[in-house]
Amino acid sequence: MNTWDAIVIGAGAAGLSAAQMLGRARRRTLVLDTGAPRNRFAPHMHGVLGHDGMSPGDLLGRGRAEVEAYDVEVRAVAVARVDEGATRVTVTLADGSAESARALVLATGVSDDLPDIPGLAERWGTGVLHCPYCHGWEVRDRRLGVLLVSPHQLHQAQLVRQWSDDVVVFAGMLGAIDPEIARRLHARGVEIVAEPVVEVVGEGTEVTGVRLRDGRVVAVGALFTMGAVRPHDAFVAHLGLARADTPVGSFLEVDAMGRTSSARIWAAGNVVSPMANVPLSMGAGAMAGAAVNAALVEEDFDLAPALYWNGRYADRLWSGRPNRTMVDVVQGLEPGRALDLGCGEGADAIWLAQQGWDATGVDISQTAIDRAQDAARTASIDAHFVVSDLSEAETVGEYDLVTASFFHSPVALDRTGALRRAAARVAPGGRMLIVSHAGPPPWAPAGHGGAHVFLNAADELDALGLDDSDWMVEIAEARPRGATAPDGTSATLDDTVLLVHRRPDVRISSS
Ligand SMILES: Cc1cc2nc3c(=O)[nH]c(=O)nc-3n(C[C@H](O)[C@H](O)[C@H](O)COP(=O)(O)OP(=O)(O)OC[C@H]3O[C@@H](n4cnc5c(N)ncnc54)[C@H](O)[C@@H]3O)c2cc1C
């Protein structure tokens, strides 16, 4: 499975517009499509600024080439099912394979289920038309027929009158027309035929008339009608996304940016808005694409500390040796349960386990924890490792020793909060050891450390806010430590060392 940022289902006007925004926003984007856009029956497309009269296929071909230029992958395959997880959406394809992404855009359009009248379907998009904005100009001033198949279509009958003053409405499939509506139509010279239509007649793809049940043929130069629109969304039905009932059917509900009731699924174009023409579908797709990127940008910032640390640990970072100061302080203590905050690649926790401690290391980086687990396994050491963002997670359990060696971060870390929460989990008689940098290394250029605050032992103690009646301070000092500078010379670093001891008779909360 690839790790896509976004998957777009449907490569029509809406889907390709969403994909174009996502590709240009440098999102790894996959478009899945069955190649059957709604307007594929029409040889020309109108009302699309800058592309008036272009064929629908040419527009989509251009759009596809444009998105591919931004490294978007377009794949000809049907989507069979979509499943939603906490952090990703998984799409199962008709060939049984699966792809997953952080966000999904549905742009699968609709089908027009046409009236079952001989001669009609084969002229759909040429002589039989659905939208006067798209094709009315080309048939203006002809005698225009409107075949009514639903009461909602009376609006279409009125609309067509704008393109011709010779309009005939075929109302036979509806039964009786409301007399008030009939009066309105007659007032503008619209003729109403009550006899049902049994056939659409014409030459090639053009319409020349309709045959009525009584055998008469009424001449028309084009016929407007509607299909029953059916959104292509069955493959998300089991997700229970919110829907809205409209006069033409039930459609997925989306907000102004195109987001459905799912935090990871957007929808755009005809699949949510069957009246949208090509430009409106493009606009909705572009909006959804930008909205997906905006949501992912937010998420990237939310996840930044984990991303940063996984990046830092992409290559082995530390030597695998435990921290010297921690070893010096801890080696005289009676082993019990130990917790190492910000354990990185696990050297301290593994050393603690080797000394007989029941040791658990916690770190935000999955990469570091994987490496720590491998190291423990290889050495047959029973140490436990957990991935957790200590800025947010509650510390659980009770420990005889909590250690935090160089628990600093150049990206967001609620260090004080994490240390305080961990201090609260120190068992009566237990200890907390904090070893941190007292200052920048001597080889660092002037100004090194940026916003980093180097705490001395008194500051560190103040930050912990421990209750004097519960805790005793055993070590609070700066300790020099030998180190090797990057140029290979020997140097001395100062560590801040704070060891606090919880009084044995203290009672702590069991929560
Ligand atoms: C006959 C006709 C003529 C029209 N003429 C015009 C015109 O002149 N001007 C105009 O502005 N508008 C016109 N329209 C309207 C136009 O077709 C729509 O506005 C437009 O197609 C909507 O774009 P879309 O991206 O939402 O859906 P579509 O263009 O229908 O694209 C949806 C895509 O999703 C794919 N898909 C569906 N299900 C799946 C699945 N499960 N897995 C993978 N892919 C899937 C389909 O194959 C298709 O490629 C016309 C419509 C019709 C019916």
Side-chain angles (χ1 to χ4, degrees):
M1 251 198 229
N2 275 301
T3 50
W4 303 103
D5 285 321
I7 291 177
V8 178
I9 311 178
L16 287 176
S17 298
Q20 190 181 49
M21 295 300 271
L22 287 161
R24 287 179 51 77
R26 313 181 72 184
R27 293 292 176 190
R28 284 176 45 75
T29 304
L30 173 67
V31 180
L32 305 166
D33 184 55
T34 44
R38 184 184 184 190
N39 54 354
R40 63 190 179 282
F41 306 95
H44 302 112
M45 205 182 50
H46 296 282
V48 185
L49 192 65
H51 301 291
D52 199 45
M54 182 184 267
S55 91
D58 284 353
L59 181 82
L60 297 184
R62 267 197 202 185
R64 184 182 160 142
E66 284 176 8
V67 303
E68 285 173 338
Y70 299 117
D71 291 337
V72 170
E73 181 177 331
V74 184
R75 208 181 289 170
V77 63
V79 167
R81 186 182 166 91
V82 169
D83 288 293
E84 213 190 344
T87 59
R88 301 189 74 76
V89 177
T90 300
V91 174
T92 306
L93 310 181
D95 61 12
S97 64
E99 295 286 351
S100 92
R102 296 165 64 192
L104 182 76
V105 180
L106 290 181
T108 41
V110 294
S111 286
D112 295 282
D113 292 337
L114 299 174
D116 186 15
I117 295 176
L120 189 147
E122 52 268 47
R123 297 191 172 90
W124 179 241
T126 50
V128 180
L129 305 167
H130 82 303
C131 163
Y133 294 106
C134 301
H135 305 288
W137 176 270
E138 285 64 41
V139 296
R140 67 192 182 283
D141 293 334
R142 291 187 197 170
R143 180 168 166 72
L144 299 178
V146 180
L147 175 66
L148 296 185
V149 295
S150 124
H152 307 298
Q153 213 190 331
L154 285 163
H155 164 71
Q156 191 187 35
Q158 293 192 171
L159 200 62
V160 168
R161 175 64 180 76
Q162 174 61 19
W163 279 265
S164 171
D165 52 14
D166 190 2
V167 175
V168 52
V169 167
F170 300 98
M173 289 177 80
L174 279 194
I177 280 198
D178 181 324
E180 179 51 32
I181 290 169
R183 255 195 303 280
R184 278 177 74 79
L185 293 173
H186 284 144
R188 293 218 64 211
V190 175
E191 187 185 338
I192 300 173
V193 174
E195 187 70 10
V197 171
V198 294
E199 186 186 356
V200 176
V201 292
E203 287 161 15
T205 56
E206 292 307 310
V207 169
T208 55
V210 297
R211 191 181 311 281
L212 304 180
R213 192 170 54 187
D214 62 12
R216 279 181 296 149
V217 172
V218 180
V220 290
L223 184 68
F224 284 85
T225 194
M226 270 176 65
V229 283
R230 186 167 37 84
H232 300 146
D233 58 11
F235 55 87
V236 293
H238 59 284
L239 297 179
L241 302 175
R243 302 185 74 89
D245 286 328
T246 78
V248 292
S250 161
F251 291 84
L252 290 171
E253 208 165 36
V254 291
D255 68 13
M257 308 291 277
R259 195 183 321 223
T260 67
S261 54
S262 157
R264 293 193 182 272
I265 303 178
W266 280 254
N270 280 178
V271 71
V272 287
S273 176
M275 299 305 173
N277 65 358
V278 167
L280 290 172
S281 303
M282 285 163 86
M287 178 66 87
V292 165
N293 181 54
L296 297 186
V297 163
E298 281 299 314
E299 191 175 63
D300 290 339
F301 276 89
D302 291 346
L303 295 174
L307 288 181
Y308 171 84
W309 281 108
N310 282 331
R312 279 289 299 274
Y313 283 110
D315 298 316
R316 176 169 290 286
L317 199 55
W318 307 119
S319 63
R321 290 193 295 275
N323 172 248
R324 187 71 253 160
T325 307
M326 186 276 298
V327 168
D328 289 346
V329 173
V330 172
Q331 61 191 353
L333 300 179
E334 180 68 23
R337 291 148 300 176
L339 177 69
D340 184 29
L341 305 178
C343 68
E345 291 156 317
D348 286 5
I350 289 174
W351 179 85
L352 285 165
Q354 282 170 322
Q355 309 312 305
W357 292 84
D358 177 7
T360 301
V362 185
D363 201 280
I364 193 169
S365 166
Q366 179 75 57
T367 310
I369 290 295
D370 288 347
R371 204 165 285 141
Q373 283 169 334
D374 279 353
R377 234 188 331 267
T378 306
S380 300
I381 302 293
D382 189 18
H384 320 287
F385 293 98
V386 178
V387 178
S388 178
D389 182 351
L390 289 166
S391 287
E392 289 176 6
E394 275 306 321
T395 308
V396 292
E398 200 177 292
Y399 301 92
D400 304 298
L401 176 67
V402 170
T403 59
S405 299
F406 307 114
F407 181 47
H408 307 291
S409 174
V411 293
L413 167 66
D414 175 15
R415 179 174 187 271
T416 302
L419 290 174
R420 286 183 177 195
R421 285 188 288 277
R425 310 312 304 175
V426 172
R431 289 178 172 79
M432 184 166 191
L433 171 65
I434 303 173
V435 182
S436 53
H437 296 295
W443 59 80
H448 171 85
H452 187 93
V453 180
F454 295 100
L455 298 175
N456 61 31
D459 296 334
E460 198 82 277
L461 189 59
D462 271 1
L464 283 180
L466 301 176
D467 182 343
D468 285 349
S469 59
D470 285 359
W471 294 85
M472 295 171 290
V473 177
E474 292 185 329
I475 303 173
E477 63 187 29
R479 272 195 193 187
R481 168 168 59 92
T484 306
D487 65 3
T489 57
S490 297
T492 302
L493 299 181
D494 280 338
D495 292 339
T496 293
V497 183
L498 180 68
L499 181 68
V500 286
H501 184 187
R502 198 159 204 186
R503 294 180 196 280
D505 50 354
V506 154
R507 289 170 60 98
I508 65 168
S509 137
S510 58
S511 63

